[in-house]
Each structure stands twice: as structure tokens, then as C-alpha cells.
Amino acid sequence: MKISKIIIFISILSFLTVSCEKDLLNTIPKDRLASDLFWQSEQDALYASTGIYSRLGGQWRYCSMDAFSDIAHFILQWRAESAIEKNTYDASNNVVGYEWAHYYGIIQVASSFLENVDKVEDMDPDLNARLKAEAKTLRAFSYINLVMLYGDVPLVTTSMSVSDAKEIGRTDVSVIWDFISTELTEAAADLPPVQTERGRVTKGVALGLKARAMLYAGRYSEARDAALAVMALGVHQIHDSYSELFDYAGESSSEIMFARQYAKDLDAHEIFYFYTANSLYTQECQVIPTKPLVDAYLMQSTGLPIGAPGSGFDPFDPYNDRDPRLYHTIYINGDTLPNGAVLNTLPGSGTGDDITSSAENVTQTGWYFKKYVSDADFASPWNCGVNLIYLRYAEVLLTYAEASVELGGANIDQSVLDAINELRTRSDVNMPLVTTTDQAELREIVRRERKIELALEGHRLFDIRRWGIAEDVIPGTVKGMTYEDPANPGTLVMAELTGYVKEFNPAKHYLWPIPFNEIELNDNLVQNPGY
Amino acid sequence: MKKIVFLCLALTFSVSVFAQQSVKGTVTEAETGTTIAGATVLVKETTIGCITNADGSYEIEVPQGAETLVFSFVGYSTVEVPINGRSNIDVQLEVDVTQLDDVVVIGYGTQKKVSITNAVSNVTADELSERNSTNLNQALQGKLPGLTIIDYGGAPGVENLMLRIRGTTSLNSNEPLVLIDGVPGELSRVNPVDIESVSILKDAAASAIYGSRAAAGVILVTTKSPVSGKLSVSYNGYYGIARTNNNPVHMEAVPYMKLQNAAYLNSFGFQYYTDEYIEQWPQNHANDPEMYPVPHQWFDALYSPAPQQSHTITLSGGNDIVNTRVSVRYMDQDGVLPKYNFKVAELRANTDYNVSEKVRFNSNLNLRNTARQEPYNSWGDWTQLTYRILQNSQWAVPVYEDGSYGLSVDSYSPLILANEGGLTTNDNTSLIGIFKGEYDIIDGLTLSGQYSIQYNYGYTSSFSNKYYFQDKLHPSRITVSNLNYMTDNRSLSKEDGLDLQLTFNKTFGNHTINSIAGYSQIHYENTYIGGYRQNFYNNDLRTLSLGINDATQSATGGNYEWGLRSYFARVNYDYGGRYLFEANARYDGSSRFSEGNRYGFFPSFSVGWRLSNEVFWDPIRNIVNEFKIRGSWGQVGSQTVGLYTYIETYNQSNYIFNEALATGYRQTRLASQNLSWETTTQFNVGIDGYLFDNRINFSVDYYKKNTTDILLALPIPTLIGLNPTDQNAGEVENWGLEFVLGGRQTIGDFNLALDFNINYNQNEVVNLSGTGPYISAYGNSDYRTITTEGEPINSFYGFETDGFFQTQDEVDNYANWDGSVGPGDVKYVDQNLDGSLTPEDFVILGKEMPDWTFSSNMSFGWKGLTLDLFWQGVAGSQKLITGAMLEMGIWGGFCHEVFEDYWTPENTDAQFPRPTKYTMKNVQISDRTMVDGSYLRLKNIRLSYDIPSKITDRVKINNMSVYVSATNLLTFAELNMYDIDPEILGRGPESSFPQTSVTTVGVNINF
């Protein structure tokens, strides 16, 4: 081989090398957006604003909250949720960690939005103000939940470096309530009463959340004023049908002020599966109602609690003549299920819902939840689009009532009774009017109204915490329906999970612990008492 | 050992003017009769010689007085033949069993085994053919010291094997780099028949030349080269039957119902079955087995023997210009569960072109198509099918006499899932082309270049059926899938690589230098596209366009790429065959890191001393023929981070407004700018020796490797609100010993060969940079590991136990935990004596990665018969029992017969606690749920027979052998108690395809 050929040979190889040289190591992602390219236009601001909403929680979180109180039970005992329900959890419990991370996640996107949105030049100042107000509202919403779950928490309002995050301490709850109050007041000023895009927070939401926060904080007059401000807006009304509110028909009702938005096929949840009767879909049901909830519904004719003398309650016909919200919230024996079958949970019924069945996800209390379970979702139970409600006008009215009752004196007037009675006079509820102005009686009425009206909407845990009644209502076994023993007519039997014993230590369980990993990583975080 | 390496021997011809004699002949291989090209023929005690031609022939002028010719070829025993005045001498060369002259494939080259200073182990085609596995991974198991392969089983075509070279180095990927003919690939994608050799580069000195990808070791696979000479045709084929082994036995009906009653009584105060029902059950069952079935019949209903077959035809031959080897293969393998199947069709064509004495080219093409199918599985990593065989499937009649399906109490039927649930198919086509050129510039100096390209086209289609089944005897048991739906994913990847090397090999007197300098680059890109639709006309028309045209239809797609650019060099120096020295270096750049952190430097050094070549060794050379001490130090890297982690990005994250999708963007993860390589520093010392005429060989290696700057997604305070990204932190240390001992002896017609490989490895997390421990799960999890300083990676973590509570008084005076605890329940130890059981009371319970792995090949030959036994085992490994195999019927799961020995007030000395229902309190992860994972198993037994040439000659066949073999025939393990296969995946039979035992008959024919 001649020298010239060698040169050609080497040249070809070198050419191959050089031609492949460019950008071999400098790969630029094409499937995501580098941050330096963002924050250029109004559209980017809208994208980022939508990004905050996209962090709002999912259905599992939403539906599990009431199982941590006395009114619902989490079936699968191996899950971390079950340890929360029984109060046998510790700081390493997954739920304790997830909730913390979840709300701080919303806070991060909101804070990042507030830090960066002014980078967008030529932005309509009204749009800028409105989107900032939305971010602040969503951030305040997160802090309300954090405070109620953990007590003092770090108050984070900007993006954090890892080293800062390992040093931040806890902020006193009163400071955080102040922060929430201020932020929501400011936000309300910049928010419109109605948004063209349903799902975005409005002036009413900022004020309604403020009312909730101040009620939780025990700042009753602030709570009352905020509730009144919502009522004065005039854009929200109690929906005439209680049952419609939790189905597709009620989605556009003005009573629903703020909800996690879902749409079938586009962004769906599985609430139908979560509550389904076992006879419809086996191994799916997760949460079921318990006796404290079912017993709380009054007798419709007399307006009395079932245990009160003269209430008209018949233990052998326990579901007759009850507050109709029971029928809209819970499947009881004899109800028609979404597949057209009739629910029968009695022992020996031969259905897939026999409470003594050895199948895992059968109700053990004899009931299933109906709220949010839409017949329309039966065919595709994993594809449910009903929005899950965070805030509705009924709660604002109850906040107004409760704050007024707690303030007492002249604050207890006809407007308080009207607020409560508005909920009881929906056409599909139709309960006797409340007339008493006695503070103690009204307190009990308002608390019962919250329990049944707002059941399954995630309020109960916080309510029993702030009322200080958890040690009275939590401990003991989970109990279910009382039924006439088919084997021994005339004998009543109560379903009970005898091996499932819930605890409550008031010195400890009124707050969750700070998640184990957070404490491990940050010496300045002091654990809650008892953990 | 049929390594065909062309040695460029500089033979000088001393021409004699005196009378000469011409000798001609052919050199052939003794075993196969194929001619050997390139063999050296020398007149003894002269430098007169020649090399055989492509057809194995030679012609040599022999000076008068010469008495002997010496025939030699690498990999074969040298033969001396007296001339005795003959003019035609044909010689057969025997394959050299001493291995002394073995050439081992190392990074970017080959090296004589005796002069290797690094830790390299090697296996060649002959040794592999003893194991007629369907894929190379299984064939390598236990064959190579230092390589641990745990066979987790797996559906046909989806092997689940864990490969570890010298333990677990990193908290991230520990998968070795696999190079097939120098091109990155997967072991399972090579036809075992095509393999020439496999080398494992274990220490950093051996693997540093692969720099940033070598931290977990390197596996080099070389496929067979063409052999010149007349066309040879061979056929290798087998037919086998796979059967499940280790089917657990369910408790019989009556004891099971009694256990359930005890569980209900203990948890809820009532019994589930009436005494009368239990009493009458045996009679009822006899009268009406459909209404009163036994609790569990799924193994019989689902498992069936699965046939598999493979056929390879190989053509090889050529002349001194072009040599080609072409192999084609077809393989078909069924699964022991319904609807599983795997087919391979592949072709490999390897051609050498000798343009001139100085210029050579090679092209190597591989076309491979695989088609795999399995029942539709909506569960991702876990298959719902294997889970349902053990969970929630009781009291069902799999198929009634009228052919209809029966359902379990929980309305499940794994048989329906398998047969009626739908189908997933995967069709994968890959095309790999390698083109290589070599040019000898001057004597000893060679320039070579290689360009390779790999295309891979994958097509996966999943169709979930619509169905409705109701149990005819129990109408409340219904299983339904309301909607059929389909996903269809296609991806195309392209990886091209360029390698340039300059090698210089020269001997000056006692000094021998082998050196190499090179450049390498790889570029990878992948594009994919996928679609989804639902509500198809029926379950059979599986075409995306036939799904309903509604809002649920969706499409996705994307692309990504990465690149690597490297410079490397090696120099190897040998003084007098006694003192050996080697240095390697690689400078590697990766697109995964930000500018400034992109390049890493990986050096290594090694030395060796062949004492047996020293004068002072003379007295014992007859006994210890060969003895070498070697040592090495080096660094290698790992770049196991996701793509683009150094760039802060916004990802699409949408929400619903006005009941319609609104586009949103947000940051999801911290960017990590300063990320760089993970570095493993390894130190190795070893000895190699041969004894008694090379009949016994041994080697011992000690190594210690430290991996630093481990790329960890360290937990960050979650109040930052973003996902953590990888950081360089952490250090893991592995140290271990490797022993190899082999011996072979021939006595008359008997041949005996024994090989033992023993590895010991210890793994410890030295430092987690102040973070950790990392605990995989808390709460009622049934699988939990911890990674913490001072302990092995992924140690099992849970409670220590102290027997069972025997009295209520004992319970009342013990640490507070679950309110329902009573006599007969497990007593967990309150380590910190704080009066309550919390995760703070967890202790380390062991680990799955074994301390010891060992294997042994035993080969007994008599005339044409050979019996090979391959034993394999591990020790110092723990297994965690999980799922139904653990739960003793707490949920609606499989209840193993061993659980019959449970605690009752009458049986307080029981092996298992009292039964309970719907609570995990007695089956928390603890020392009670751990089982010693040690095992010894006869992995493979094979009897083969070489048909005598008297017979084969008559039918014009060069040679032919037949064999019968079986895998996993015999296992000694404590896990046998639960019928859990010791090689099954961590989480056990619920999540793994069943392990099998395969019986095979096969034939190898060379025409």
C-alpha cells in the first residue's frame, strides 16, 4: 500500500470523527422547557398560574380525611391510613409525611409564581394583580391545612435553598393565622366576584377561606365579618337540591365556591371505586360510614335526635323518617345501587355485601357512602369527573352561625337562625326549622349541622380537634348498623369491629408529629409533644 | 480454546544451498477435522519455518539432517513430529487444555493469560456449550469467578437476572457494562451458539480503559470469527420442556376452615364457619365437589409444561481473502402460564476481508427479531396474574364441568385474567452493523478503526378486553371489565459509535511493549410515539383506529439523546516474561453533566511477577509449573443520573378550568448544576498458578473497592416543595476474596475435570454524607430495607421478636402497641424500653445479597460419553417472606399447610402465632419473617454422547453429539419449607413469574 493510500485512509477516519464532533455532549432537552426560556409573555404567566392549581390534591387524600375522625372508617388495615385512624401512627407514617410535602408543594409553586411573574414585561397590570391574588389564596389555603394538622409550622414564602431549608424553625401558629388573614384580605381586594374560568378562586373564596381560618383560629369576630362579607357579595346561593351538589348536575351551582376540578376522560378520579359497594366492584371499596355519623341524622318529623325521648325512632326500622341528607349521603339496606340491585348487607344475604363475608373490601359496618357516587360513573368507575368541593356557601353560613354563637349575646339573632335554616329548607332536605336562641343549644345544633351537612368533605377531623372533643368521640371500636338478627327474630345485633381498637391521647394526638425525615434533616425543627 | 488469532510472526528463512528435502502436508484440528490456517511449522532447533495456508496446507524445505518438525498454533498443544524421511506429513493438533497459552479478550485487545496482571476471568465457547440455556445470562451463571448472577426467573423473553461483579458498589445502578464485539448491548441478545468467549473485567485496572461506564465492571462478549477453509455446515438444536418447580401446598379444607374460625374468634369474637358445616364438609365435598371445592386449585388449573425449541444453522468458510461465518437461528419458547410465548429469529454474518498482508477489514452484521406475548397486565411491574394466584382466589372452581369459569369468594379468577383479560404483544427488531478496518503501518504499529450502528425498533401493543363473567353457583360473584381499551407504543432508537485505535507491539531483546492509544465516541437517540383509544367494537379487532372517537383518545411522543466522548491509552510492558507492568488511562466526557463537570479522568496501574520464570524457581518447576503474583490499583466511574438533571426545567402540568383541560407549567425538581462522576477506586492483589504438569490450576484474588461521590437523590426537606435531584455524596466499600481451583486428569479412557469457584464479598455503606438512613418503607409494609452507615446496602429492617405472649398478664405488662394484642400474638422487642413499639425499635435483620457465592463444574468423560454436573449456591443471604406466603390467611390469600402449627391455649409451643383476621400485627417484618436464603442446587446436569466417527463417517457427517440435560433438578435450602424458590425475586412468588425446571434433548451436528 502506498503512502498516498495511507493518507486517504487516515483522512477518512479523521473526517468521520470531526463530522460527528459538534454538540455530541451538549444535548438540549426537547421534551421540557428550560427555565431561562420561560416568563416571557402573559401566556407564560397564565401557564404558571395553572401550574399552581395543578398541584391541588387528589381524590385519595380528599376521601381519606374523614376516616381519620369518628364518622368514617378506612377498611384496609395494612395501610398507613389505618394507623392514622387508630392513632397508632408515629412520625414515620407515610400519611404524615405526604400531607406535609403536599401542602408545601403548593406553597412552593405559589411562591415561585409570586417571585417570577414580574419578570414578564408588558403584562396587563390587572391580570398581574389577579393572578398574584390567586397564588396567595392557594398558598393561604395550604397554610390553613398545615396549621390544623401540625400546629406551628415553618412559614415559607419564598423559594428556598437546601441549606436554608435545613435551618428554618417553626413559626408560632398565631403568626401564621395573622399571615393567612392578611394575605387573604389582600387577595380578596384583587379578585373578581366571578371568574370567567370556573375553577379559579374568586373574591368569595378568599373571604370564605378567611372566615374558615379565623373560625379555626378562634378569632370569631374576624370569622363572622369575613363570612358576612361573602354573604354580602350576593353571588353565592344555597343550591335547592342537596343531592345534586355532589353529582354532575350541581357542578355549576353558585353554592360551590371552590372545588378541585375534574373532568371525565381529561383528568378523572376514582371516587366511585373508593366508595363502591363490594357487590359492584370487588376489592375496591376503601372507606365506609360509621355509627356516629349515621346516628347523628335527626328524625325528620320531630327534629329530634334518635336517642331523645319522643323522637319517634324505631330501632327495628332505623332508617325511617330521618333527615333526608342521610339518604343522600349513605347507602342503607334497601337502597337501589347504581347497577339496579338492592343493597343487602345483612348476614346470610348471599350478596357480595354480606357484612360477615370473608371478602376483604366488604363493608363491615353495613353501610357504604353515596355522596359523590354518581350512577353515571358506574360503567367507568375509574373515570369520574365530579368536582370535589373544598369550599361551599353552606360552610360559610355555618361559619357565620358558629362564630356568632361563640361570640354570643346580641350576635345570636334571627340572621343566625336563618343561616342554619337555609340549609335545612332545601327542597330535598326539608327539616323542621331551628328556633332556639339558647347559646348552648345552638352550639350543639351548629356542630351537628357541620357533622352531617359537610360529612365526607374533609372538615370533621379539624372540627373535633378545635372543639376538643376527640378523646370523647374517637376511642373504642368501630361500630356499624344495628339489625334484627335473621337467625333470632326480635333480637337486635350491632355490627362491631371488635378487634379494631382506636385510641386517643389528648396530650399527643391533637396534632400530628412533624414528619420524621424533616426532623432528621433539620435540627431547628422541634417535634410536637408525645412523639 | 479454538481461538483463532493470526499472529504476525516474523519468521526468517535461512536458506541453505545444500541439498534439501521438501515436506508437504495439512494441519487439521484433531477434534473436528477442520483445517487450521495460520499454524506455524518450524524445523526444530532452526528458524526455518512457514505458516499454513487458508486450507491448512503447508510446504516446507527441510535442510538435510533435520529430524523433527514442530507444529504449533495458539490454543493448541504444540506437536513435534519426526520426519523419518517422509515427504508428506499430516498433523492433527489437539486443543490445549493447559490454558497456559490461552489468549484472553481484554479491553480493546487480547492478552496472553499468563501475562495478565489484572483481575480478569474468562470463559470460552466450549465451556459454555455445556449449558444449553436459552440465553447467555443463564449459561454464564456460576461460570466466572467474581460474577454473581441471581436468576429471578421471568416470563419467556423477559429474563429477570441480577448481574453483579464483585458485589454492590453503588446505591444506584450496579449493572456491568456489556460490550458485544466492542459495542454496548445486552447479554440476553446474543445467540449462545455464536459466542466465542466472554471475559469479565473485574478490577479497576482491567476496566479503567472503559472509564466512566466501568464502575460495576465490564463484560466483554466476542462472537465467533470465520474459519477459513472449505465450507463447513453445522446444526445445533434442542427441544425442551419447562415445568414449574416449588408449587406450594395449600392447607387442606378442614384445617383451613378451623384456622379461619380461630382467626375470626381471635379478632372479632365469632366464628365464620359453623362446626356443623366443617364437620359435614368432607362428605359434602365428596358428593358435590363443585359446590364444596377444595380451597385452592389454581396451580393445577394454570400451570402446564411449556415446550421450547431452538435451531441454529451455521455456515463457515472462505479462502485467504474472504472468510465468512453466517448463523441463523429460530427459537420458540412457551411459558408455563397461559398465553406467554417468546420467539426469536436472528441472523449473524461475520466476514473477514484480507485486502493485503497489511490491510484487513471485518464486517459483522446482526439482524434480530423477537416477538413476545403475554396476558394483558394493568399493574405495571407486578403481574396481576401471579398476584391473584396467591391472593383473593380461594374457594373457586377454576372451570366447572360445563366449561364455565368459577370465581373466588372475592370474585377473582386468575384463569380469566390469563385467558380473557387481553393480550400484550411486543415485537422488537434490531439491526447492528459493525465495520472494522486494520492497517499495519509498520512492523508492530497498527491503526484500526471501527464504526458501529445499532437500530432498534420496538412495537408494543396492549389490549385490555371487555368481559363479564358470573359464577354459575354463586351469582353474587361477578368479575367485569366494562370497557376494552388499547395502547400502542412504538419507539426507534439509534446508537452509533466510532472507535479509533493505534496499537504498537514490539519486542526488543527482553523487553516487550504492547501499547494502545485510542479515541471513542457514542451518540444515542431515541424517539417514541404512543396512542390510546378505548371502547372497541369487539375484543378481536385490535387496531387503534377502531377505538371510539371520543375525548379519551390520546397520543404521546418524545425524544431524547445522550453522548459520550473518550480518549484512552494503555501501555503494557513485559521484561523477560518475568516482570509485568501495565498502565491505563481514560478521559471521558458525558452529556449528562453540565459544562465544566463534563469530563472525568480514570487511571489505573498494575504489576505482576512471574516467579516461575525466575532461575530460583527451577527446583520446584516440576511441581509448580507456573506461578504469578499480581497487584493493581485503579479508578473507574459511573454516570448513572437522568438526562438533563443539571438544567432547571418547567414541565407541563395541567388542570381543568371550565370542564376543559388548561395547559399549565411548573418546576418539579431542583436542578443540580455541580453534578459529576461517581468514582470507584479499586485495589486488587492476586496469585495464579499451575501445578503438576498444568493439571491443576488455581488463583486467589483479594480486592477492596471504594465508591465515592455516589450519585444520590438525597432527601431534602420536603418543605422546599420540589423533588430532590441527584447529588454527589456517599461512600460504599466492598471487599472480597475469590478462589478458583481446577483440575483435570485423564486415566485411560476416563477424563475427569473439576472446577470450583468461590467468592466472598462484604459490602458496607461507609458514609452517607450526614444523610440517611434511607428506609424503603414504614408502617404496615411487608418489605422494608434500610441503607445506613456501617451496614450493607439495603439491609432488611424490622422488629426483633421474643416468642409469643402466653398470658393476658404478660400482655398487660408489656410495651404498648396494638390495642388488640392478646395471648398467642407475637411479642416484639421494645429495644429502647420506652414502653411502646415504634420504628425506633427496629433492628437490622440481614440482607439478601449473599456473602458467599459458589459453584462447581464436574465433568466425567468416558470414551464418547460425558456427564457434566453444575452445582451452584450461595450462603450468608437472608430472604424475607412476603405477601400471602407470610400472612397465614389473615386476608383472603393462599394459606400454606405449614401454618397448621399455630398457637392455641392448648398448643402454646407452636411454630406460628395465633391466627387473626384483617390485622398485620403478627406478621410485621421481623426476624420471624426472615428465612436463611442459603442454598445449594444442582443447576444443570447433562449427559452427552459424541457419536463415534465410524458411524458418522458413513453418513458423511464430520461429527455429531447428542445430549440430554435438566436444570434445577435438586435444591437444598431452608426456603423449601415454604416452597419458595431460593433464586426468586425479593418480594417472592406473588410478583414473579414462576421458576422452572427445564428438561432438554439436543443435538449438535457438523457436516
Side-chain angles (χ1 to χ4, degrees), chain B residues 310-327:
Chain B
S310 170
H311 309 277
T312 302
I313 290 175
T314 310
L315 306 171
S316 176
N319 51 35
D320 44 6
I321 299 172
V322 180
N323 297 316
T324 297
R325 180 185 184 278
V326 175
S327 71

Side-chain angles (χ1 to χ4, degrees), chain B residues 903-934:
Chain B
W903 192 96
T904 62
E906 295 76 40
N907 182 22
T908 56
D909 193 23
Q911 188 180 2
F912 294 97
R914 68 169 179 165
T916 50
K917 205 64 193 163
Y918 302 134
T919 165
M920 298 282 280
K921 67 185 171 190
N922 284 335
V923 291
Q924 294 288 305
I925 296 177
S926 70
D927 48 18
R928 284 190 48 81
T929 66
M930 310 290 308
V931 176
D932 190 338
S934 304

Side-chain angles (χ1 to χ4, degrees), chain A residues 238-240 255 392 423-430 453:
Chain A
I238 292 298
H239 195 70
D240 191 44
E255 180 176 339
R392 58 187 171 97
L423 312 183
R424 295 164 66 115
T425 51
R426 299 176 204 261
S427 63
D428 64 352
V429 175
N430 203 14
E453 169 75 23

Side-chain angles (χ1 to χ4, degrees), chain A residues 31-44:
Chain A
D31 59 348
R32 60 202 95 179
L33 199 59
S35 58
D36 350 350
L37 304 174
F38 205 68
W39 301 112
Q40 306 287 328
S41 64
E42 261 182 21
Q43 187 60 53
D44 286 349

Side-chain angles (χ1 to χ4, degrees), chain B residues 463-483:
Chain B
F463 194 97
S464 173
N465 283 352
K466 177 176 179 171
Y467 58 78
Y468 179 95
F469 292 100
Q470 188 167 22
D471 188 299
K472 69 165 185 173
L473 293 182
H474 309 273
S476 72
R477 302 180 185 176
I478 296 166
T479 182
V480 53
S481 162
N482 287 319
L483 205 62

